[in-house]
Amino acid sequence: MSSENSVGVVASQRVQFAEPLLLKSGAELPGFELVFETYGTLNSEHSNAVLVCHALSGSHHVAGHYADDPENVGWWDNLVGPGKPLDTRKFFVVGVNNLGGCYGSTGPLSINPESGRRYGADFPMVTVEDWVAAQARLADHLGIATWAAVVGGSLGGMQALAWSLQLPERIRHALVIASAPKLSAQNIAFNEVARQAIVSDPDFHGGNYAENGVVPTRGLRLARMVGHITYLSDSQMGEKFGRQLRHGEHKFSYDVDFEVESYLRYQGDKFAKFFDANTYLMMTKALDYFDPAYDYDGNLAAALARARASFLVASFSTDWRFSPARSREIVFALLHNRLHVAYAQIECDAGHDSFLLDDPHYHAVLRAYLENIAV
Amino acid sequence: MTEHERRVKAEQRERFDFAVIASWIPPGERVLDLGCGDGRLLRYLSETRDVAGYGVEIDDDSVLGCIRNGVDVIQMDIECGLSGFEDKSFDHVIISQALQTMHATEGILNEMLRVADEAVVSFPNFAYRTNRAAIAEGHMPVSEDLPYDWFDTPNVRFFTVADFEDLCTRLGIEIRERLTFDEAGREVTEDPNLNGSLAFYRLGRGS
């Protein structure tokens, strides 16, 4: 990725919403803050705004880098920038850290105004629909009545889909990438293993670890290791690590023998250093609960009848976490409702994580679709 | 023929094919195009017939072409059937000069008449006069409508007007209309299995 196509130095912004937010669970947040970043310029008609929704561990920092932290490049920098598929010369792009996140928006690490202490375990459960409601407040704040597009991969794709159902008149295009209309039992099972890893860590303290001055690092680390396996494809892991040995021979010990063990430990350690355990628990629950067809006797086509947007749905051949078949469920439910949809099934070896990479065909598909969006 | 002439000719021919198909599609219909390429037929039908169309395509570059052309497309392998598409969810389903490139001929025809009221099929007739002559001289035919050498052809099923009609009978498919044309694009009335280079069919299930 060339620096000349980068949005360059960016700065986060923060906005406070004083109005209480009634959550899907029935709980209420008295008010909340969101951190966000924007790239490009909102045009005079306010018709070129694109919301980028993050997945489980993402943030509002989508593109560019910080002046005081040049190594901290946005998580979708390969996609967003001048001349890139999501072209900031055309679009005004908004990235936001979701409610309950741990990158600065109100979440479990924030101070609960009622108690004067960190929310910790008391932070209410938020759902994909709650995120959409919070993002809508940000749209209001930015003067965006209608998004030209809402874009997301994985859990981010679920938000794009939710936008099209919850506020159909406020979104013209939804780009739903490597996503699913709901989790499978296997998906939920993996999430539950991750959660159990965290809650069974002795440092978890029922979620109030911050009050105790500790972090459930071991649980977070395990949770990330399990998650990471599901983000990669078997073939890619085989190609990357195979059965390569760290020390060139079998050590007959429980230390790192195989390179893949070293890789997973590294990924787990890295993640556990910065991510909040309560946020992780909540994000996985938001994934589990997402099911627009739930109120329609499981009939996704009926659930999608409200949608008015045009869709791009994309999946990846080796993604077994949200397989192409899951994307096709969305596609055929859209078709049932006679909505505009283009569906691309992209050959890519990198499993679920493919959506973050810059496979040339994948990016060509996104570019072609985005170029046709009128602003 | 220069490359330019060849291209102009191919474009003229394509427009001719499109016009024949369009003549069978009433305005405002819901249309599914199987093996839709870069979506140019659907685009033509949406411009001339105001249809609401979806394409199905397996090839990456073609899918990308559809997206560039603003055509709704679903990337999937028709050889595996049309599961996901609901019964009678389209007015017309089209397969334009692509049936001969697929193995699951029977399955595709049955699936087409499951998802749509009527099917439009076009294909090159292998029993066309000049094709027969080529075989008689000991060579696989290369012609206007079969423009590939035998070692480089996307076609995997080689059939004639007579063969196709036999298969329709066997599958209980009703032939509602047939149009055949010679290489010059003239409509053929006499002995279409001999004089027709390209055949178009309107197919349905007996009511």
Side-chain angles (χ1 to χ4, degrees), chain A residues 74-125:
Chain A
W75 59 271
W76 224 352
D77 191 74
N78 63 25
L79 185 80
V80 180
K84 289 180 178 171
L86 183 43
D87 194 338
T88 50
R89 294 171 306 191
K90 173 180 178 180
F91 293 111
F92 175 65
V93 180
V94 179
V96 57
N97 184 214
N98 280 332
L99 204 54
C102 54
Y103 291 97
S105 291
T106 298
L109 292 175
S110 308
I111 302 297
N112 181 348
E114 280 172 24
S115 66
R117 293 181 303 154
R118 288 178 192 270
Y119 276 104
D122 295 334
F123 194 81
M125 190 80 78

Side-chain angles (χ1 to χ4, degrees), chain B residues 154-169:
Chain B
N155 300 333
V156 296
R157 293 278 184 258
F158 305 92
F159 54 96
T160 69
V161 161
D163 291 332
F164 183 73
E165 294 185 7
D166 285 348
L167 181 64
C168 287
T169 305

Side-chain angles (χ1 to χ4, degrees), chain A residues 177-193:
Chain A
I177 304 163
S179 196
K182 62 174 184 284
L183 294 198
S184 67
Q186 188 194 46
N187 293 148
I188 295 171
F190 274 115
N191 280 348
E192 176 59 6
V193 172

Side-chain angles (χ1 to χ4, degrees), chain A residues 76-227:
Chain A
W76 224 352
D77 191 74
N78 63 25
L79 185 80
V80 180
K84 289 180 178 171
L86 183 43
D87 194 338
T88 50
R89 294 171 306 191
K90 173 180 178 180
F91 293 111
F92 175 65
V93 180
V94 179
V96 57
N97 184 214
N98 280 332
L99 204 54
C102 54
Y103 291 97
S105 291
T106 298
L109 292 175
S110 308
I111 302 297
N112 181 348
E114 280 172 24
S115 66
R117 293 181 303 154
R118 288 178 192 270
Y119 276 104
D122 295 334
F123 194 81
M125 190 80 78
V126 296
T127 63
V128 170
E129 289 80 5
D130 298 327
W131 287 334
V132 170
Q135 289 160 356
R137 296 242 188 126
L138 178 62
D140 295 340
H141 167 74
L142 294 169
I144 298 160
T146 305
W147 297 104
V150 179
V151 184
S154 191
L155 179 55
M158 291 173 171
Q159 291 161 60
L161 180 58
W163 259 98
S164 76
L165 306 179
Q166 209 166 320
L167 297 161
E169 70 288 354
R170 297 191 69 175
I171 165 176
R172 290 196 284 127
H173 293 269
L175 282 73
V176 181
I177 304 163
S179 196
K182 62 174 184 284
L183 294 198
S184 67
Q186 188 194 46
N187 293 148
I188 295 171
F190 274 115
N191 280 348
E192 176 59 6
V193 172
R195 284 191 294 266
Q196 285 303 317
I198 291 170
V199 302
S200 62
D201 185 321
D203 284 338
F204 183 63
H205 294 288
N208 294 316
Y209 43 86
E211 294 292 300
N212 290 274
V214 290
V215 172
T217 311
R218 284 161 291 181
L220 262 174
R221 182 171 178 262
L222 267 178
R224 184 59 169 182
M225 286 168 82
V226 169

Side-chain angles (χ1 to χ4, degrees), chain B residues 89-141:
Chain B
S89 48
F90 292 91
D91 300 307
H92 271 102
V93 55
I94 301 167
I95 188 159
S96 167
Q97 299 201 48
L99 192 62
Q100 76 276 8
T101 67
M102 292 168 194
H103 287 96
T105 318
E106 291 175 65
I108 290 165
L109 287 170
N110 283 327
E111 278 287 81
M112 287 174 78
L113 288 171
R114 177 181 68 78
V115 303
D117 296 326
E118 196 168 88
V120 170
V121 176
S122 73
F123 60 87
N125 174 29
F126 274 78
Y128 179 52
R129 185 186 297 280
T130 65
N131 299 341
R132 294 187 194 197
I135 296 275
E137 284 172 26
H139 291 286
M140 285 300 282

Side-chain angles (χ1 to χ4, degrees), chain A residues 250-319:
Chain A
H250 292 174
K251 285 289 188 187
F252 301 102
S253 80
Y254 296 109
D255 284 336
V256 168
D257 243 358
F258 296 94
E259 284 293 353
V260 67
E261 297 173 310
S262 162
Y263 173 76
L264 281 181
R265 289 180 188 199
Y266 168 77
Q267 290 294 338
D269 287 339
K270 196 172 77 168
F271 188 73
K273 273 190 196 120
F274 69 87
F275 209 81
D276 179 59
N278 283 318
T279 292
Y280 196 92
L281 293 176
M282 194 211 68
M283 292 274 179
T284 59
K285 271 292 182 186
L287 270 163
D288 292 0
Y289 286 130
F290 181 70
D291 180 9
Y294 183 77
D295 293 331
Y296 295 83
D297 292 329
N299 184 342
L300 185 64
L304 268 50
R306 286 169 289 165
R308 293 292 171 270
S310 297
F311 285 75
L312 175 69
V313 179
S315 70
F316 297 93
S317 55
T318 55
D319 183 352

Side-chain angles (χ1 to χ4, degrees), chain A residues 312 331-332 334-336 338-347 361 364-365 368-369 372, chain B residues 30 54 60-61 63-64 67-76 83-86 89-90:
Chain A
L312 175 69
V331 169
F332 285 116
L334 295 170
L335 202 63
H336 175 90
R338 309 188 173 197
L339 290 159
H340 287 294
V341 55
Y343 169 60
Q345 185 176 314
I346 290 146
E347 286 296 322
H361 178 62
V365 163
Y369 190 85
N372 277 343
Chain B
R30 269 170 68 70
Y54 294 87
D60 282 348
D61 289 336
V63 169
L64 182 56
I67 295 172
R68 284 205 180 109
N69 284 327
V71 168
D72 289 335
V73 64
I74 296 159
Q75 186 165 23
M76 60 184 272
S83 67
F85 290 96
E86 294 165 358
S89 48
F90 292 91

